[in-house]
Amino acid sequence: MARIEKNDSGWVLTRDGAPYFIKGAGGDDQLELLVACGGNSIRTWGTDGAGPILDRAHALGLSVTLGLWLQHERHGFDYGDPAFVARQFETAKRHVLQFKDHPALLLWGIGNEMEASGENEKIWRHVNEIGRMIHDVDPDHPTMTVTADASQVKIDALKRHCPEIDILGVNSYGGLPTVPERLGEFGWTRPYIVTEFGPKGWWEVGKTSWGAELEPTSTEKAAFYYDNYRHAIESRRGWCLGSYVFKWGFKQEHTGTWFSMFSESGAKYSTVEAMTRAWTGRASERQGPVIRALKSVASERMVKPREEHRAELELEADTRKDHPDSALRYRWEVLAESSDKREGGDAEAAPRAVADAVTANGGNAVTIRAPEVPGAYRLYAYVEDGHGNLATANFPFFVGDNRHGKSRGT
């Protein structure tokens, strides 16, 4: 049983009568490790596989914010179609009745970024109808709807059309440091949860002249996760009820490393260590490699087909000192820039690797040969410490020549 209460210190979420601050992650991978790192909750975006996920979470002592997926207009769904809205409502009700008594259930997450600009009142009224239904059939679990960051338009619509929503869920990345201040300016007085946060998104960073986004290193991301958690989440107790870091697992989105907190093989990026410190106040016993820079004259530049360049991954001096009992293992690869970049986190196909692009591998330094086929590429560097800790960096480069209208530099 969960409740939202207000006391002299502000808003508080309780579970079975005790205060419960969410230290959560989006995803259902590596849940034993999540518990070991200090996490206490997971979030889903829909109900696919919900039964086993709830059962496994309960066995590990984790709670679950269970998502009720609402379709997006950008995928062709029309909230002005009464038949579609009725079907979606009945689907949500069926799932609420199916899972409302599960002991792992914490909250209901009604939709995820389905509001787009926030101007369609029909979407908000539909969200509120589902919220009212939940309050009628399941008074033991609060309601939340999840928006893409926050704006005056969205907050005004929520206040006007959604009195049955107990909590605002906010997905915010580069904008997270200012979320509390902006919610205050927009007039939001009910509690909020940061339902997704992580590095700066690909839409929030600089680009090359050909439009390739410049991804931070895993070390830079870790610092960003930790600092933003402390400022916009932990320090806002009494209004913020907790958060879900993104993504506790692997995800291909523009790159395979941008939002992933784990590699495809399950190795931990530095962001896992950052969240362990944030949740527990303690550093992990095994610190992973720390990247200082990935350097090459080819970085963010145009190069000629089959032109060779040296690249070097520089680590902080403490990295080698902290790993006396394990040799650092380096891996390098060149991938074509993704040709399947999508919006809103939609599923993407992974780009192909280029064979024989790394010609001389000397550990932290290599020689790369530009592919013969013109186009956009990225060089990725990975370094693992032998204890499951992994660090990574990449840079984009373009194979072509200036006669084709491309200019050097960014």
Side-chain angles (χ1 to χ4, degrees):
M1 178 184 297
R3 291 279 188 270
I4 304 293
E5 301 174 0
K6 195 172 186 181
N7 56 31
D8 292 341
S9 299
W11 295 100
V12 62
L13 172 67
T14 65
R15 189 177 188 218
D16 298 329
Y20 192 84
F21 191 74
I22 297 170
K23 300 177 180 180
D28 59 0
D29 295 329
Q30 306 231 29
L31 297 189
E32 292 85 357
L33 180 60
L34 177 63
V35 174
C37 291
N40 63 8
S41 189
I42 61 172
R43 176 196 171 207
T44 75
W45 289 261
T47 52
D48 290 348
I53 291 171
L54 286 161
D55 290 345
R56 186 174 173 218
H58 181 58
L60 294 170
L62 295 166
S63 67
V64 179
T65 286
L66 193 60
L68 299 171
W69 182 256
L70 300 185
Q71 300 291 354
H72 293 198
E73 290 180 301
R74 63 189 174 86
H75 294 146
F77 294 92
D78 181 8
Y79 280 82
D81 178 353
F84 159 69
V85 171
R87 287 195 302 272
Q88 186 162 256
F89 177 89
E90 289 303 321
T91 298
K93 184 175 182 178
R94 183 174 73 253
H95 290 148
V96 170
L97 293 173
Q98 180 179 1
F99 298 115
K100 68 183 181 69
D101 296 319
H102 198 286
L105 182 64
L106 180 66
L107 308 170
W108 294 105
I110 305 171
N112 181 78
E113 299 187 4
M114 68 287 144
E115 79 286 353
S117 67
E119 297 175 340
N120 189 342
E121 296 181 1
K122 294 175 182 177
I123 295 176
W124 299 114
R125 289 198 292 268
H126 182 55
V127 167
N128 195 61
E129 289 170 359
I130 295 175
R132 181 184 301 115
M133 174 270 293
I134 292 173
H135 284 152
D136 288 343
V137 303
D138 181 19
D140 292 333
H141 300 101
T143 61
M144 174 175 69
T145 194
V146 178
T147 62
D149 215 292
S151 69
Q152 189 69 67
V153 170
K154 295 177 185 182
I155 296 303
D156 287 347
L158 278 163
K159 292 166 63 178
R160 184 179 304 117
H161 300 295
C162 296
E164 300 288 344
I165 296 301
D166 302 311
I167 306 163
L168 169 61
V170 180
N171 294 344
S172 188
Y173 291 87
L176 180 57
T178 63
V179 161
E181 289 78 9
R182 287 186 286 127
L183 289 179
E185 292 172 3
F186 299 152
W188 183 254
T189 57
R190 281 176 266 173
Y192 73 94
I193 293 170
V194 179
T195 37
E196 288 180 24
F197 74 98
K200 287 185 178 180
W202 46 262
W203 59 94
E204 297 171 309
V205 298
K207 297 182 179 181
T208 65
S209 60
W210 59 90
E213 300 89 353
L214 304 178
E215 181 176 350
T217 69
S218 58
T219 297
E220 292 168 334
K221 292 175 188 176
F224 198 74
Y225 278 57
Y226 181 80
D227 292 343
N228 286 350
Y229 180 88
R230 299 288 296 173
H231 171 75
I233 298 167
E234 177 67 34
S235 68
R236 302 296 175 151
R237 290 185 185 232
W239 191 15
C240 179
L241 305 180
S243 65
Y244 291 93
V245 67
F246 186 86
K247 180 179 190 284
W248 195 263
F250 173 84
K251 187 177 194 294
Q252 168 67 40
E253 184 170 342
H254 283 228
T255 74
T257 54
W258 206 297
F259 298 102
S260 302
M261 296 178 72
F262 297 86
S263 69
E264 286 188 276
S265 63
K268 307 185 298 292
Y269 286 123
S270 313
T271 48
V272 174
E273 158 61 19
M275 292 314 304
T276 301
R277 287 193 295 126
W279 288 330
T280 68
R282 303 186 306 273
S284 299
E285 292 184 7
R286 295 283 187 181
Q287 299 292 306
V290 178
I291 292 174
R292 179 179 293 169
L294 175 58
K295 293 184 176 181
S296 172
V297 297
S299 176
E300 303 167 41
R301 295 291 187 269
M302 177 166 297
V303 301
K304 295 178 181 179
R306 299 190 64 79
E307 186 176 6
E308 292 191 346
H309 296 274
R310 178 181 169 86
E312 181 178 0
L313 187 66
E314 293 186 359
L315 304 181
E316 294 289 348
D318 286 347
T319 292
R320 291 189 179 276
K321 182 181 70 176
D322 290 344
H323 297 80
D325 58 340
S326 62
L328 295 174
R329 298 194 298 271
Y330 294 86
R331 183 169 66 88
W332 299 79
E333 63 180 355
V334 171
L335 272 63
E337 185 75 358
S338 174
S339 60
D340 190 34
K341 294 179 179 180
R342 298 176 183 265
E343 301 291 328
D346 291 352
E348 298 178 1
R352 60 179 175 82
V354 180
D356 302 322
V358 179
T359 62
N361 192 336
N364 71 311
V366 297
T367 299
I368 58 171
R369 178 185 295 127
E372 290 188 49
V373 179
Y377 297 87
R378 282 181 192 259
L379 173 71
Y380 290 80
Y382 309 87
V383 54
E384 190 169 355
D385 67 357
H387 300 289
N389 298 307
L390 180 66
T392 186
N394 71 69
F395 65 73
F397 64 96
F398 195 95
V399 177
D401 60 57
N402 293 335
R403 291 175 300 173
H404 294 161
K406 298 293 182 180
S407 60
R408 295 183 68 85
T410 58

